[in-house]
Amino acid sequence: MNIASVRRPVVPPTPPRAPDDMSFLGRVALLRQNMIATWGQRAYEEDVIKGRFFLQHSFILNRPDAIRHVLLSNYENYTRTPAGIRMLRPVLGEGLLIAEGQAWTHQRRTLAPAFTPRATANLVPHMTAVLDETIAKLDTQTGAPVDLREIMQRMTLEIAGRTMFSFGMERHGPTLRNFVMEYGERLGRPYFLDMLLPVSWPSPMDFPRARFRKRWTEFVAMLIAERRAAGKKDGAPPRDLFDLMDAARDPETGKGFSDEQLVDEVATMILAGHETTATTLFWALYLLALDPDTQEEVASETGGEHLDSMADIDRQKLTRAVIDETMRLYPPAFLVARSARDKDDAAGVEIGKGDVIMIAPWLLHRHEKLWDQPNAFIPKRFMSKEAPDRFAYLPFGAGPRVCIGAPFAQAESVLALARLIGAFRVELADSVPVIPHGVVTTQPDRSPPFRITRR
Ligand code: HEM
């Protein structure tokens, strides 16, 4: 069946594909601005592309069986790359995203109960409260052009703050955003030596990164101290993620987190969660503005209801499909990279010790062999009976290191999109294309003005 037989689907703009013979230096220069633009047509057509990543051999894997091997069957053979650790450690410390081996097992086991769909359901009231406020604010801005990207960033930060600490982010939100911007715009981008040197050798940018880390951890520790001062009533159920994380114990060893570890875990959860979800919501709103018919269908699905529970969220099947399709076309984590500890055979791909493995959701999700009309926005493909191959659709990664916040992010994105589209008709106020840039996450190259009107 042709999944797009009824009307011609929207094909949103993308950066031009790099010429396959682009020079090494040309690629390196482009890498810092937009990694997505460094990939040529071959990367969207071939199963495995062998190349070099600085001094190492590298593989782009587009074959689900080989990806399954790396992320699941033999995942212990693959670690984060030196460049990835260098970029992330100053902000995430030794938190879950960076940890390896025993330290990772302990953290994942300890944190898992706080991130189950059931634990997430208890956080939905925090999300709906922020959404009510966002919609009330937007009500005062109908007609005039609005920057929905910025509004989504503020909203997801507010949700991250309230679900974590139960307090609003009006006082600390601007400082937190400044930290995020400062890091993302300069220190979080890879420089030549960052990629060349092993992690144990400092690169020139590691010095300002270390200074940043000191200020950042002091800030997060201050947030935790404020939250502790607000206290917890004895015997009362946990109010927020902080209560859950503070009380969490490893089911096997009975150990909880030290104060220092808690700073890294809290930093990880706030940072890993809010920008990725804001990006998803921005692109979903952009796509629905380009596709008014689908937007109307989403609006009628919500039926103007005040959605406020997990059961309500689960009923929004089309909205969920729009979020899934948005994360197919614009996966916030456009690249999942690994470095091989030892040589391996990944479903027939011979990998050497130290080789860099690139699993790029951006490429995989638009691969010619894996998808029908790969560049078109067709949410209903996620409503058909044939689910996409688990290892061809990876917005949250896969295997033991799959995103721990996926149930949270999915609930938040579906709830927010359903509520926003249920309340407002969303259009673009200009017709300049918005081009995705792969830097840290899949960001738009500009914040287009939107126009919203009350339904
Ligand atoms: C749309 C939103 C999100 C996207 C697209 C996303 C994507 C991802 C991906 C692809 C990974 C796997 C990385 C790898 O294997 O190298 C990951 C891991 C992770 N994510 Fe998310 N994420 C999102 C939201 C969140 C939220 C809301 C949280 C926390 C509240 C979170 C916390 C984490 C953590 C801690 C890990 C590391 C897990 C581990 O290594 O055990 N993420 N995420």
Side-chain angles (χ1 to χ4, degrees):
M1 181 188 73
N2 180 355
I3 47 178
S5 54
V6 183
R7 39 178 205 249
R8 188 190 289 207
V10 165
V11 178
T14 49
R17 292 187 179 170
D20 284 318
D21 59 355
M22 189 184 221
S23 73
F24 174 73
L25 285 179
R27 248 177 240 278
V28 172
L30 204 54
L31 204 65
R32 274 175 58 73
Q33 291 157 28
N34 186 3
M35 185 158 187
I36 287 167
T38 66
W39 289 312
Q41 185 57 28
R42 274 179 68 203
Y44 297 83
E45 290 171 355
E46 296 181 15
D47 291 340
V48 178
I49 298 182
K50 198 170 172 182
R52 289 196 80 84
F53 189 74
F54 294 84
L55 299 180
Q56 281 99 17
H57 289 289
S58 71
F59 293 87
I60 295 178
L61 292 189
N62 282 329
R63 246 181 47 206
D65 57 347
I67 293 172
R68 182 190 170 87
H69 181 89
V70 171
L71 294 183
L72 178 66
S73 317
N74 196 21
Y75 81 97
E76 283 174 319
N77 189 47
Y78 298 91
T79 62
R80 300 213 178 282
T81 60
I85 294 172
R86 202 188 281 286
M87 283 331 121
L88 295 174
R89 189 168 272 154
V91 275
L92 307 183
E94 303 302 322
L96 183 65
L97 208 128
I98 302 264
E100 298 282 351
Q102 270 302 310
W104 172 78
T105 312
H106 157 64
Q107 294 181 37
R108 183 92 194 194
R109 265 197 318 239
T110 311
L111 288 166
F115 289 91
T116 57
R118 197 202 270 199
T120 301
N122 292 333
L123 300 173
V124 169
H126 287 297
M127 299 179 189
T128 48
V130 177
L131 267 156
D132 288 343
E133 289 160 23
T134 307
I135 289 172
K137 245 184 251 161
L138 282 171
D139 256 333
T140 64
Q141 297 179 36
T142 54
V146 285
D147 181 349
L148 285 181
R149 182 183 178 204
E150 204 204 334
I151 292 168
M152 291 304 104
Q153 285 169 334
R154 283 180 197 283
M155 186 182 84
T156 58
L157 179 62
E158 191 61 38
I159 290 177
R162 294 224 204 148
T163 49
M164 179 62 75
F165 295 124
S166 301
F167 50 66
M169 295 304 277
E170 58 285 331
R171 249 181 339 119
H172 300 306
T175 317
L176 209 158
R177 275 229 60 80
N178 286 345
F179 272 116
V180 173
M181 305 284 275
E182 180 188 344
Y183 199 76
E185 277 169 15
R186 205 169 67 92
L187 302 173
R189 296 191 184 202
Y191 287 79
F192 190 71
L193 284 175
D194 290 329
M195 289 181 273
L196 204 61
L197 296 173
V199 195
S200 50
W201 292 27
S203 85
M205 286 307 274
D206 285 346
F207 297 98
R209 286 186 188 123
R211 287 195 294 277
F212 176 93
R213 172 154 181 76
K214 185 163 180 302
R215 287 189 290 126
W216 165 243
T217 47
E218 283 167 4
F219 173 71
V220 178
M222 182 273 291
L223 292 179
I224 291 180
E226 269 197 24
R227 173 61 182 79
R228 282 230 162 92
K232 176 176 182 291
K233 287 200 190 92
D234 281 343
R239 276 192 295 169
D240 49 31
L241 268 174
F242 182 78
D243 271 349
L244 291 170
M245 287 166 66
D246 199 26
R249 297 289 174 267
D250 187 322
E252 289 192 13
T253 65
K255 264 175 60 185
F257 294 122
S258 68
D259 284 355
E260 258 177 25
Q261 282 174 322
L262 209 52
V263 166
D264 286 345
E265 302 302 357
V266 165
T268 298
M269 298 311 167
I270 293 182
L271 291 183
H274 93 271
E275 187 70 34
T276 40
T277 312
T279 304
T280 304
L281 283 168
F282 164 80
W283 287 117
L285 290 164
Y286 175 69
L287 287 165
L288 290 181
L290 293 180
D291 184 349
D293 292 337
T294 302
Q295 185 179 153
E296 288 316 302
E297 286 180 53
V298 169
S300 53
E301 178 177 72
T302 70
E305 291 171 60
H306 185 91
L307 315 169
D308 59 8
S309 69
M310 202 57 133
D312 288 342
I313 295 172
D314 287 343
R315 272 196 295 275
Q316 311 305 306
K317 304 286 183 219
L318 177 62
T319 316
R320 169 67 195 259
V322 168
I323 292 292
D324 289 344
E325 179 70 338
T326 301
M327 287 197 290
R328 184 184 70 80
L329 287 171
Y330 302 98
F334 59 89
L335 177 70
V336 171
R338 294 286 191 271
S339 172
R341 281 184 211 272
D342 215 336
K343 66 180 176 140
D344 192 17
D345 175 341
V349 183
E350 290 298 317
I351 289 169
K353 183 177 168 141
D355 287 356
V356 174
I357 314 300
M358 297 200 248
I359 298 166
W362 173 274
L363 293 172
L364 205 59
H365 294 180
R366 292 174 181 257
H367 200 273
E368 308 281 346
K369 284 192 192 163
L370 298 171
W371 301 91
D372 182 17
Q373 304 187 63
N375 297 305
F377 174 58
I378 309 173
K380 286 185 184 151
R381 69 170 94 231
F382 283 95
M383 294 168 87
S384 85
K385 285 202 184 77
E386 289 161 47
D389 187 310
R390 177 67 192 91
F391 292 88
Y393 180 64
L394 298 173
F396 294 106
R401 299 212 67 149
V402 69
C403 177
I404 198 169
F408 182 103
Q410 279 162 334
E412 179 182 349
S413 315
V414 172
L415 178 67
L417 190 66
R419 289 286 315 276
L420 291 167
I421 294 297
F424 303 103
R425 183 165 293 112
V426 174
E427 293 162 294
L428 282 159
D430 76 16
S431 55
V432 182
V434 182
I435 308 294
H437 272 204
V439 260
V440 191
T441 55
T442 307
Q443 293 295 328
D445 64 340
R446 68 190 186 98
S447 297
F450 286 83
R451 194 164 294 117
I452 55 170
T453 39
R454 233 330 167 172
R455 286 189 190 277

